[in-house]
Structures are given as C-alpha cells and as structure tokens.
Amino acid sequence: MVRGERYEAIFAAEKTLEDVSLCLSFQDPEWKREDYLLIPAAVYDGNRFKIKKQNYPPMFDHSEYELDPPVTVTDIPHFEQEGESVISLRAGDSSLPAVFLYHRTSGKGLAFLYECRSRHGALGENGVVLRESEEGLSITIMDPIVRNDGMYRFGAISSKVPCEDKAGVLQKGDRASLIVEQYAFSCDSLDVFFQIVLRLSHKEDPLAGTRTRREPGENGTPSINGGFRLVEQKYNQYNWKKDGAFYQTGEGQNIFSIWQTGWVGGINAAYALYRSGNPVSRGRAKATMDFMFRHMQAPTGFFYGISDGSNIYGDDFYDQDNKAFAMVRKSADALYFSLRILLRMRLRREIPDPLWVQGARKAADAFVTLFQTYRQLGQFIDVDTGRILVGGSAAGALVPAGLLLAAEYFKEDHYRQAAEEIGEMFDRKVLQTGVIGGGPGEILSAPDSESAYALLESYMMLYEKTGQETWLKRARFAAAIYTTWCMPYDYPFPEGSMFQEAGMVTTGAVWANVQNKHGAPGPCTFSGSAMARLSRALNDPIYLRISEDTRSNIPQYLSRANRPLWNYDRSKASPPGFMCERVSTCDWEGFDKIGGVYETGCWCEASLLLMKADEEDWYS
C-alpha cells in the first residue's frame, strides 16, 4: 500500500529580499549506508561506487584489468563509502525531480516528488540537497537550488567545481512556493521497489510539470515513417562510404564516425535500412554486412571495434593501436542484428553470402565458449584470444537475445540453453543489484539506460521463445529500471534557447547514463519495441504509453528544411535528416548549452530507423 501526503509552502515578501531560497526539509533517521538511494537517471544505489578521477573519455588502466572489478565511475555526484556525504542536484540533472529510498532491512520505501519550477512565483529552478550523516539522511528541496558543495561539469576530474548557482530575489509583494509530494510504502525487494517507482514516476499528471506528446504534423513534427525517409536520405548522402562500401556510423569526420561495430550505429542501422529501406538502401545494408564479416571479425568469432575502412583500431582511447581491445557490447550487437538480417533474408527468399552465415555461427559459438569459460561475459575482451580483460557489468546484456536468434536460424537448441544460462547469470549478478551498466564504451562501468534496455530485450525474447513466466517477471523488473531513464514530463527550457523557440518537449526523452548527463531522443541504439511487447504480455498499458512517448518524442529532434536546428552560437544549421544526441536539461556542459545542440549527426538517427523497422512489434 502506498500512502501519500502533499506539502505546500508559500512565502510572501513584505519587503524586497535578496539571496532568497525557499526550502522544505525532510529527515529519515532510519537511513543506513546499505540502503538504496535512487534519483532517476542520476543516482543509483547512492552512486556509492569506486571513484576513478579521470578526464573524459575515461578508460580502465592495465592495472585495473580483473574478472570481478567493483562498479567504477568517474567523480560524479555520489555518496562516500564512509563519513558524511552530500549530493546536490538541480531538477534538470535527472529525468524526473524526485528522490526514492529503499530501506533494505525494514522493507520500507519513501518517495519525494517535486516541481521542476514552482508554479507560483518561481525564484528559479528547483533542486535537492541530500546530506548523509550519523543522524541519518536529510532531504532538502530548494527553490532555487544553490549547490554550495560544488557542481558536476563535463570533463572535470572532480565533481566539486565551484558552483555558479545564485539565490533568488523577491520584490515586495512577490510570492514563492514549493510543493512536495511524499509517499511511504512497503516493499520487500528491489523488484517491488522499482515497480512502485515506475507507477509514481509515470503518472498521467506529473507534479514535475506538463506532459506533452507530439503527434505527427503537430508543430511540423514528422511521423516515424516520415522521419525514417528523411534519415534514410541523409544516410545515403552523408553516411555511405563509397570506398569500402559500407554505411558509416557518422559523416566520417574522424575514426569514431567512420565505422564502429555496433553500439552507436554500424550493423544496428544497417539492419533497419535493410528491413525498411528502399532498394538502394537494402543493397548498401547488405554491403555493410559484408564489410563487417569480411574485415572486422577475428578468427575467434568476436569483432574488432573501430575501422577507418582500411585500418582497424581498438576501443581503448589511450592505446587505439591495440586493435584487439574491444567492447563486448559491439560483438553482442553484431550477433543480434546480423542474425536479424539473415532471418529477414530467409523470409524474402534471398540467399546470403556463406561467409555471413559462417560468421554469425562463429560469433554465437564465441559467446557460448566465453560464458562456459568464465561464467560471465565481461565488459572488455581481447578479440584475438577471446580472453576477458575487464569483467563484470551488463555490457553483454543483448547476448541472450542474439543466441536465441541463432537457435532459431540454425535450428540448434544448445544456443537457447546457453541464452537461458546467461539470462540466469544476469539476474543474479546484475538485475538483483538494481545497478545495470557497462554498455557504453566511455563511462567505465557506470549505470546507463542502454544496458537496462538490452537486458529487457533479452528477457522479453526469453519469455517469447520459452513461454516461461520467470522470464516475464524479470523483463518487468528490467523494464522498471529502464523507465527511470525515460522523462515523463516537459522540462521548461530557458527563454531564448533554441529548443524553447522551436517548441520542443521532453516527454519521452531517454537519458544516457549517470556520467554523460543529458537526455537523448531515444534509446542507444535500439527501437524500444520490447516495452510494447511487454505491455501486451502483461496486459498493462503503462509500458506501451512510455514507449509511445519516446516514439512521438524522437522525430522532433530531426533537423528539417522547414525547421533547421542551429548550433549553440547560431552560426551553422544541421542539414535535413541530422539529429544530435543532446536533449540537455542539465548544466553539465554549461548553462548556455541547455536546450541546444551541436551541428552533427549521431547514433540517435539509427534509433529512429530501428523504430520504423520494428514498427510491427508495436501494433501486431
């Protein structure tokens, strides 16, 4: 049972006042260090992880190579392992202005939801200050937030950069107010805790602010189909690499935007263009498949990470000549999306190159061998030897889904059996901790949205292929964690910002991770269809609603001829079909970057392509 109370504080100024912040403070004397603190898309389990102070992009040193490393993050806002701690965040530093607490020992939960900007006489943007001490935990909601303990800035080694926040000013007769909703509930597990978080976070009438879904045609927003055609044109004009014959992950400005095997495009986008593209796109998608298997697959069956079309590079930013160092995530994507292409070719009665079929089998066998050897999949591997270099994490969360496709394509049941064993492992080692991370290549092993979604996809496929209710329950758990990354309200962009002038809304945006603190147009790099399938399986509309929020959200962020998106200083507009990953509501790159974008294409274009390719999964 969830019990809620509403607190409202109203202050009327009888004279002019400077340096004003209105506060509502709550105390939790039962709080213990082992309890779970969640601020959606910002703090998971208090972010009480191993801290590695390093500039962007962070990477593990050779001395940190181990099979079972602790969760490791850069110096993001976090609670310390011991002593007093403070976490201070603006409302826009998270996907929802809220704090959720789970007392593991007593089985009690608390939630505090507040407005992003107070609706009556707002002083500024609200925020929260969490202070942990021997007396327990204090939760203070402030209007406006003043982060006296410092702030987090992108690329800074320390999260205690001198703060730029300023208190407000009230003239005589002005009013200021704060509204906080507090909920108390019982929960005997993290699963139950996250189910309650889901329901409180994604209410139809969020306290945080308005909730808007952009329908096709509204504000000039294209449909998914219209957006697909726009991005398809862009891919064929800017992303097609003629010498090499493959779709680049970007426009070729550097090696990261030429070819990456999965994660930010590559074979992920090729599948979508083969599935739903025109004849030219389908032919080029198959050429991309050929490039990947012919040039990027090692004899072990795993895939190298990066290429400029001629040379191969590794995924270690500080030793890229070590081409064997690679993300597990990329090989997982290669397995999953290449088999989706092969299965679609079978339906179309097209004959694949035997090399592709052999390569897909080798990739599936490589993951089976990896798991049999280590009883995990790791985060980074040596592609040439098949040895795990950095273990742990949910970087390989999509592997069970890929192995299930291998079982279907090759009609060999041992791949399904391996998928189930790996799914069990992820349940014990990842899902039950409430910390799912490691999928991106430049956040160490921090919690992230794409790993949570990949785990949801695997659990949904395990349920669909086996019919076992256990997998459906795990899919529901993974989905509840994934939805903490999904914005359920519209952030009020600053007056004069590009997004404010263009009428952009944020309901449905998907945050990246706790290090790179921004929303994004969609999940990286997936369609999100597992949410719709879960909704049907559970006969529960909330998952479909959240996934439809993202489907309606993503086309907004396409630059169009009739509504170009300009860069931050308005000096250059992105061409039609370009989409930047930034949906910035946080000042992690500076206050001037809130509500703006760079003039570049990005992986989120592939997410939109995949939404069209997987459209039947929403409505079949």
Side-chain angles (χ1 to χ4, degrees), residues 34 54 164 192 225 376 608:
E34 60 267 25
Q54 187 177 20
E164 299 175 5
V192 174
N225 185 63
Q376 62 158 299
L608 190 149

Side-chain angles (χ1 to χ4, degrees), residues 385-545:
T385 65
R387 181 170 65 93
I388 290 178
L389 300 175
V390 179
S393 88
L398 193 62
V399 170
L403 290 175
L404 290 168
L405 295 179
E408 179 180 353
Y409 188 82
F410 296 112
K411 296 180 170 56
E412 295 185 16
D413 198 51
H414 75 279
Y415 291 127
R416 179 195 58 78
Q417 294 172 358
E420 292 193 61
E421 290 183 27
I422 294 171
E424 294 278 0
M425 178 272 295
F426 277 129
D427 177 55
R428 294 191 311 273
K429 292 190 174 183
V430 175
L431 189 61
Q432 297 300 326
T433 70
V435 178
I436 307 177
E442 31 68 87
I443 65 165
L444 301 174
S445 51
D448 71 272
S449 61
E450 53 208 72
S451 298
Y453 180 81
L455 196 58
L456 164 61
E457 178 66 40
S458 283
Y459 284 142
M460 269 311 297
M461 282 193 63
L462 280 162
Y463 169 68
E464 291 161 347
K465 299 298 184 183
T466 68
Q468 296 176 10
E469 291 292 321
T470 299
W471 299 118
L472 185 60
K473 293 177 181 178
R474 289 166 177 162
R476 184 185 63 183
F477 190 176
I481 295 177
Y482 168 68
T483 60
T484 64
W485 301 94
C486 302
M487 289 192 74
Y489 81 105
D490 301 325
Y491 177 84
F493 288 111
E495 290 288 331
S497 66
M498 197 259 296
F499 277 13
Q500 184 268 333
E501 292 178 350
M504 312 283 264
V505 298
T506 59
T507 297
V510 182
W511 276 60
N513 53 74
V514 297
Q515 173 188 285
N516 302 346
K517 292 179 65 64
H518 63 86
C524 179
T525 309
F526 302 107
S527 70
S529 71
M531 289 283 285
R533 287 146 48 208
L534 177 66
S535 198
R536 285 195 296 274
L538 292 172
N539 193 27
D540 189 335
I542 194 168
Y543 305 98
L544 178 61
R545 173 162 63 83

Side-chain angles (χ1 to χ4, degrees), residues 152-222:
Y152 173 73
R153 277 292 166 90
F154 178 55
I157 291 178
S158 171
S159 64
K160 302 301 183 184
V161 174
C163 189
E164 299 175 5
D165 292 342
K166 294 180 180 179
V169 175
L170 289 177
Q171 303 296 330
K172 182 179 180 179
D174 285 351
R175 286 156 53 94
S177 71
L178 264 180
I179 301 175
V180 178
E181 293 177 350
Q182 179 184 357
Y183 297 89
F185 49 90
S186 298
C187 50
D188 58 4
S189 69
L190 271 177
D191 187 356
V192 174
F193 170 72
F194 273 101
Q195 302 309 320
I196 295 172
V197 168
L198 166 62
R199 304 292 162 171
L200 292 176
S201 298
H202 290 271
K203 298 187 297 183
E204 290 280 6
D205 56 340
L207 176 64
T210 60
R211 183 180 178 277
T212 306
R213 181 182 291 176
R214 285 278 181 245
E215 301 298 337
E218 185 182 354
N219 202 34
T221 302

Side-chain angles (χ1 to χ4, degrees), residues 62-358:
H62 287 263
S63 62
E64 296 171 298
Y65 289 2
E66 56 181 298
L67 286 178
D68 294 297
V71 175
T72 305
V73 300
T74 52
D75 192 19
I76 59 176
H78 65 278
F79 277 164
E80 302 290 349
Q81 298 291 341
E82 55 186 33
E84 292 196 1
S85 298
V86 178
I87 294 176
S88 300
L89 297 173
R90 289 161 51 93
D93 288 348
S94 55
S95 62
L96 178 72
V99 177
F100 299 93
L101 308 174
Y102 169 46
H103 297 87
R104 297 180 192 265
T105 303
S106 64
K108 297 178 182 178
L110 291 172
F112 303 87
L113 281 68
Y114 61 97
E115 300 166 291
C116 181
R117 283 181 176 268
S118 301
R119 61 194 68 183
H120 300 299
L123 287 165
E125 183 163 318
N126 297 342
V128 63
V129 178
L130 299 163
R131 189 174 301 275
E132 183 183 59
S133 67
E134 292 181 359
E135 286 73 41
L137 181 70
S138 68
I139 304 101
T140 301
I141 314 298
M142 298 181 67
D143 172 21
I145 180 67
V146 178
R147 296 164 291 182
N148 289 323
D149 62 315
M151 60 183 183
Y152 173 73
R153 277 292 166 90
F154 178 55
I157 291 178
S158 171
S159 64
K160 302 301 183 184
V161 174
C163 189
E164 299 175 5
D165 292 342
K166 294 180 180 179
V169 175
L170 289 177
Q171 303 296 330
K172 182 179 180 179
D174 285 351
R175 286 156 53 94
S177 71
L178 264 180
I179 301 175
V180 178
E181 293 177 350
Q182 179 184 357
Y183 297 89
F185 49 90
S186 298
C187 50
D188 58 4
S189 69
L190 271 177
D191 187 356
V192 174
F193 170 72
F194 273 101
Q195 302 309 320
I196 295 172
V197 168
L198 166 62
R199 304 292 162 171
L200 292 176
S201 298
H202 290 271
K203 298 187 297 183
E204 290 280 6
D205 56 340
L207 176 64
T210 60
R211 183 180 178 277
T212 306
R213 181 182 291 176
R214 285 278 181 245
E215 301 298 337
E218 185 182 354
N219 202 34
T221 302
S223 64
I224 289 292
N225 185 63
F228 179 94
R229 298 304 166 196
L230 197 58
V231 174
E232 181 183 32
Q233 294 172 13
K234 182 261 182 180
Y235 257 67
N236 284 320
Q237 181 176 352
Y238 293 96
N239 291 56
W240 175 248
K241 186 170 175 59
K242 188 174 181 180
D243 55 331
F246 60 87
Y247 279 121
Q248 300 179 140
T249 53
E251 297 81 56
Q253 309 96 313
N254 52 53
I255 61 171
F256 301 107
S257 62
I258 297 176
W259 174 264
Q260 294 199 55
T261 305
W263 181 29
V264 289
I267 193 64
N268 310 38
Y271 164 72
L273 290 165
Y274 174 74
R275 172 68 176 82
S276 301
N278 61 36
V280 170
S281 302
R282 291 199 299 270
R284 290 179 171 182
K286 288 191 287 186
T288 302
M289 178 98 144
D290 189 73
F291 172 81
M292 184 184 76
F293 280 116
R294 203 167 295 279
H295 299 286
M296 299 304 295
Q297 189 170 32
T300 57
F302 293 116
F303 293 85
Y304 299 107
I306 300 172
S307 174
D308 61 8
S310 301
N311 305 294
I312 294 173
Y313 301 93
D315 285 325
D316 184 338
F317 301 104
Y318 303 101
D319 186 13
Q320 290 198 280
D321 289 333
N322 178 14
K323 68 177 186 178
F325 185 93
M327 296 166 56
V328 167
R329 161 76 185 274
K330 290 184 176 179
S331 286
D333 283 4
L335 172 69
Y336 175 79
F337 286 105
S338 65
L339 278 162
R340 294 196 73 182
I341 291 175
L342 290 173
L343 286 163
R344 182 58 54 174
M345 292 183 73
R346 179 177 286 173
L347 286 175
R348 291 175 173 170
R349 300 185 184 279
E350 295 183 51
I351 299 175
D353 190 308
L355 177 68
W356 309 348
V357 177
Q358 179 188 10

